[in-house]
Amino acid sequence: AAGVIQSPRHLIKEKRETATLKCYPIPRHDTVYWYQQGPGQDPQFLISFYEKMQSDKGSIPDRFSAQQFSDYHSELNMSSLELGDSALYFCASSSGQGLNEKLFFGSGTQLSVL
Amino acid sequence: AQSVAQPEDQVNVAEGNPLTVKCTYSVSGNPYLFWYVQYPNRGLQFLLKYITGDNLVKGSYGFEAEFNKSQTSFHLKKPSALVSDSALYFCAVRAGSGSARQLTFGSGTQLTVLP
């Protein structure tokens, strides 16, 4: 079965550069979530989209922005990168609500800022 | 605000013995509770969830979890541990009502099953 696809798997950037992370949800999933997991940390919610509209916002820095496109894929844009942005960035998708809701996570993009 | 506590950073258990990974939560209203497992350099994999119904939930790979409303706990259990169960386990919660659907994760518990 198709899973959540994230690209790239690994990304190396320097301080003050920009980065774009992509997420392709499972077909027919209408909701995408972005999480950031620092080294040895638990995943922290950044932002989510439902039907191409931002639905919730968590601890996402102002330097970051995201959107969900008409084909439901999502992109996380990160500017003025800082060393502390080095982390594993997960995307998750889901469909349904309430009893049927379950998040499926991608394998993540490992971002290293040098 | 919702929160999750996993009081143990590390749990060690011998293969074949039962295992328990603890989780307590705080959320407004009825909770939706989840367990995820993370292997090195991999994404989070869903194990099981509690939404409503029986307090004992059975999930993947022989894992189960018991929802205890009075103790606000959702401990993960397995009757007989395998070496391959060694991984990082995350408990997560979200409110069962309201528009916010994002999960809040605990800090994770590293499970090591010793042969």
Side-chain angles (χ1 to χ4, degrees), chain A residues 4-78:
Chain A
V4 177
I5 305 297
Q6 289 187 247
S7 68
R9 289 294 304 274
H10 303 275
L11 189 59
I12 299 175
K13 291 286 185 179
E14 295 190 356
K15 286 193 305 182
R16 293 180 288 278
E17 286 191 320
T18 61
T20 297
L21 279 55
K22 297 184 178 181
C23 169
Y24 297 86
I26 291 172
R28 292 181 294 281
H29 280 195
D30 53 18
T31 305
V32 168
Y33 303 82
W34 284 98
Y35 285 84
Q36 177 193 56
Q37 185 179 24
Q41 302 295 314
D42 55 292
Q44 295 290 319
F45 171 70
L46 292 178
I47 195 168
S48 64
F49 294 88
Y50 169 68
E51 283 292 345
K52 293 156 280 186
M53 298 288 289
Q54 181 180 309
S55 54
D56 289 300
K57 196 171 183 180
S59 54
I60 185 169
D62 292 340
R63 299 177 288 108
F64 295 5
S65 65
Q67 57 182 325
Q68 185 178 31
F69 294 85
S70 58
D71 63 351
Y72 292 96
H73 94 273
S74 178
E75 295 184 4
L76 178 65
N77 299 295
M78 311 160 73

Side-chain angles (χ1 to χ4, degrees), chain A residues 35 37 42 96 99 101 103, chain B residues 38 49 51 94 101 103 106:
Chain A
Y35 285 84
Q37 185 179 24
D42 55 292
L99 297 180
E101 184 171 15
L103 266 63
Chain B
Q38 185 177 30
K49 67 178 179 180
I51 302 296
R94 62 160 279 232
R101 294 163 63 186
L103 295 176

